[in-house]
Amino acid sequence: MAEVLVVTSGKGGVGKTTSTAALGAALAQTGQSVVVIDFDVGLRNLDLVMGAERRVVYDLINVVQGDANLNQALIKDKRVDSLSLLPASQTRDKDALTAEGVERVINELKGRFDWIICDSPAGIERGAYFAMRHADLAVIVTNPEVSSVRDSDRIIGLLDSKTEKAERGETIEKLLLLTRYDPVRAERGDMLKVDDVLEILSIPLLGIIPESPEVLKASNLGSPVTLANPVSAPSRAYLDAARRLRGETIEMTVPSEKKRLFGSLFGRRAA
Amino acid sequence: MPPAAALQIVPNTPEPEGKRRQVRFRGRSFMALVLTPEPPTDDWLAELDALAARSPGFFGDRPVVLDVSAIKASPRTLAALLGQLESRGVRLIGVEGCDPKFLDGPNARLAMPVGGRAAGELSAPEPGSVATGSLVVEQPVRSGQTISFNGDVTICGSVASGAEVIASGSIHVYGALRGRAIAGSAGNSKARIFCRKLDAELLAIDGVYMTTERLDAKLKGKAVKAWLDGENLRVDALD
């Protein structure tokens, strides 16, 4: 049975697209078949982070409007066989999405994949609404910072009222993914601590992704961080989160990079 | 609904004798409920009755503006519709969206110029939430959500920053109150607000409000009660 997962946050720039790519790749690395869908029509990014920007011919809007079929639009990842991308259109806007079209696409994908991961655009408008509409499960990406936490809270309220599942009277499962976390700064009081965020949002924790230059490096290489450098701290955190999504119980830790003497002595030279 | 904004200009210096008194004007804005009937009107009226049955007093003393632009009313159907609404106790203060000439006789006073500023959707009470004088909310109230109830409201979880709870009676919050709490909203100076952890954006009782900026910093994060002492909103720790 396919699981439809939405990665959402309300606020922009907190790491939705990065997390979609990393979790999608991590699930695919465990042998699951995964499709990641970019719902940010007009401002697409997921193709870049996945390193597929030069392979886009047809996109989500073409399929939604019936101008292309899924086989034409799906882009298979070159590194992991079981990972596919359904890109957004860059030339259209969110008005091109239709309720019937999106529903048809999701239903068709359910027959082909184990995981359908919808990368939501920021905001609470049309694009975000369609991204969450058919979800069974939501991953709320939040930075340890007050505006991000409040926007996440707003999105949780919408997930509980606007999704298909909520309208049927069921509850949609919501999991918190805390990104860009820096334990040292949290301890100093420069950012919110894990417990502060959990107390405000009161949803279960899926994972804590430490702040790391590896994330930006991977994005610029056009690779999900879990594929670019699987042993880096953020990758280990994402791989753990993916295993938790599959139902495994794994102790919650904040992975950190190993400090090397030479790294700290010569690490800055190239900068 | 936020407390109705009212702007008043009142003279506070006595007029010198012998001088002509000036006529003073006061500006004041009220929030009106806009009803928009949809064809067929009979079905719409039935839906309205169902809503009124679920939450007695929803219309209460609220001023209502009727927007008939969606039904293409003739003078005769309009008069019939106004009669139907009057018999349901809906207090119309104006009708818009039709030719003012359609309103005659006693209804002529209802014609109003196009205008007004939209104040967003008011959510009708959910089916099942029959007003019983007390509402218990088991879920946390999330940012952007509004709980509005005619009676006392008890929230088992927290009220998030950017959320609001409006009750004509008292408000009890067993989690943290980080949003707005507006008690005694229909005019009840005896209403109170209780919460286990105060971090509110705004507290209001019977239209008297206070932002937390003005609040004693020592009370932040404490279990408190808020009540009205004459014209002053008072907040004190519970223990």
Side-chain angles (χ1 to χ4, degrees):
Chain A
M1 184 62 200
E3 194 90 42
V4 183
L5 185 156
V6 59
V7 178
T8 186
S9 69
K11 190 168 158 50
V14 296
K16 284 181 297 296
T17 301
T18 303
S19 298
T20 302
L23 284 176
L27 282 166
Q29 282 164 289
T30 66
Q32 298 274 293
S33 62
V34 180
V35 59
V36 288
I37 313 177
D38 193 346
F39 272 86
D40 205 347
V41 181
L43 289 169
R44 75 171 187 218
N45 281 155
L46 189 55
D47 56 324
L48 286 171
V49 176
M50 300 281 294
E53 72 277 12
R54 290 181 210 162
R55 299 169 61 203
V56 177
V57 182
Y58 294 103
D59 55 48
L60 174 65
I61 296 300
N62 297 133
V63 185
V64 161
Q65 301 195 333
D67 300 329
N69 62 37
L70 271 178
N71 290 331
Q72 293 171 299
L74 285 172
I75 302 172
K76 222 177 185 35
D77 193 271
K78 285 186 168 164
R79 296 150 296 207
V80 187
D81 233 14
S82 57
L83 179 62
S84 296
L85 163 72
L86 184 53
S89 164
Q90 183 72 350
T91 51
R92 309 293 292 276
D93 61 35
K94 271 92 176 166
D95 293 338
L97 291 167
T98 63
E100 308 77 49
V102 171
E103 185 171 4
R104 185 171 47 78
V105 169
I106 300 278
N107 281 335
E108 215 171 307
L109 289 170
K110 275 184 185 171
R112 298 189 183 200
F113 293 93
D114 299 322
W115 291 88
I116 298 158
I117 305 185
C118 306
D119 181 21
S120 171
I124 52 174
E125 278 77 39
R126 204 175 162 85
Y129 165 77
F130 280 123
M132 70 167 71
R133 181 78 191 140
H134 304 282
D136 303 304
L137 175 70
V139 170
I140 319 287
V141 182
T142 306
N143 290 169
E145 170 263 323
V146 284
S147 56
S148 172
V149 173
R150 181 159 79 180
D151 289 359
S152 294
D153 197 65
R154 176 88 168 103
I155 278 289
I156 296 171
L158 294 176
L159 285 163
D160 284 334
S161 61
K162 301 273 184 183
T163 52
E164 234 180 12
K165 234 179 160 176
E167 282 172 10
R168 284 201 303 265
E170 298 165 39
T171 37
I172 176 167
E173 195 182 347
K174 299 159 293 270
L175 301 168
L176 175 68
L177 189 66
L178 197 60
T179 54
R180 309 197 65 167
Y181 189 73
D182 183 335
V184 178
R185 292 182 58 201
E187 206 43 60
R188 273 208 310 258
D190 294 349
M191 51 168 73
L192 295 175
K193 293 192 183 116
V194 178
D195 287 344
D196 299 336
V197 180
L198 284 174
E199 204 240 43
I200 294 175
L201 295 180
S202 53
I203 55 172
L205 187 60
L206 176 67
I208 304 166
I209 315 297
E211 172 80 310
S212 162
E214 289 294 327
V215 174
L216 185 63
K217 211 195 281 176
S219 288
N220 287 332
L221 282 174
S223 168
V225 68
T226 45
L227 291 177
N229 183 359
V231 294
S232 67
S235 297
R236 281 181 283 143
Y238 277 120
L239 289 163
D240 280 356
R243 286 169 63 193
R244 289 186 194 105
L245 279 176
R246 296 208 54 199
E248 289 183 46
T249 311
I250 297 164
E251 197 198 345
M252 191 66 69
T253 55
V254 188
S256 60
E257 309 286 354
K258 287 195 195 78
K259 287 269 190 292
R260 285 166 304 170
L261 181 61
F262 286 108
S264 58
L265 279 178
F266 302 116
R268 285 171 181 274
R269 206 178 54 175
Chain B
M1 250 181 305
L7 177 76
Q8 296 189 7
I9 305 154
V10 184
N12 54 8
T13 45
E15 299 288 329
E17 262 184 68
K19 232 180 154 187
R20 251 172 78 182
R21 283 187 72 89
Q22 277 183 320
V23 178
R24 300 270 181 172
F25 293 95
R26 283 173 164 187
R28 185 183 273 195
S29 57
F30 291 92
M31 179 89 79
L33 195 67
V34 180
L35 283 180
T36 312
E38 285 157 25
T41 5
D42 287 343
D43 293 356
W44 181 81
L45 281 168
E47 198 51 48
L48 190 71
D49 286 337
L51 171 70
R54 284 202 299 270
S55 56
F58 179 67
F59 293 110
D61 292 330
R62 285 187 212 220
V64 174
V65 171
L66 191 68
D67 176 2
V68 292
S69 52
I71 54 167
K72 294 197 182 69
S74 68
R76 197 174 50 79
T77 53
L78 187 58
L81 179 61
L82 294 180
Q84 290 279 2
L85 289 173
E86 199 179 346
S87 70
R88 285 166 171 79
V90 176
R91 279 174 28 130
L92 286 181
I93 59 163
V95 175
E96 62 178 11
C98 69
D99 190 331
K101 288 199 279 291
F102 286 9
L103 295 158
D104 51 7
N107 291 333
R109 66 176 177 88
L110 293 174
M112 60 190 292
V114 178
R117 188 162 45 94
E121 294 272 322
L122 276 179
S123 49
E126 293 289 313
S129 68
V130 178
T132 55
S134 166
L135 172 74
V136 178
V137 180
E138 304 269 3
Q139 303 292 323
V141 186
R142 302 287 182 181
S143 185
Q145 290 178 334
T146 299
I147 302 284
S148 184
F149 185 72
N150 207 352
D152 289 358
V153 175
T154 306
I155 313 278
C156 298
S158 295
V159 177
S161 159
E164 61 184 4
V165 179
I166 304 169
S168 62
S170 296
I171 297 172
H172 308 256
V173 182
Y174 285 94
L177 172 56
R178 301 190 178 92
R180 301 170 152 210
I182 298 162
S185 61
N188 175 5
S189 58
K190 297 272 181 257
R192 293 185 175 203
I193 299 168
F194 302 86
C195 71
R196 218 177 65 182
K197 189 175 170 194
L198 178 71
D199 199 5
E201 288 162 349
L202 179 134
L203 299 174
I205 298 174
D206 193 15
V208 181
Y209 67 90
M210 177 192 266
T211 53
T212 21
E213 211 175 48
R214 285 170 46 212
L215 200 74
D216 189 347
K218 284 200 294 272
L219 293 170
K220 199 183 162 197
K222 295 276 176 355
V224 302
K225 62 179 176 213
W227 74 100
L228 212 50
D229 180 11
E231 284 292 288
N232 294 315
L233 188 66
R234 302 263 310 267
V235 183
D236 209 351
L238 279 173
D239 39 30

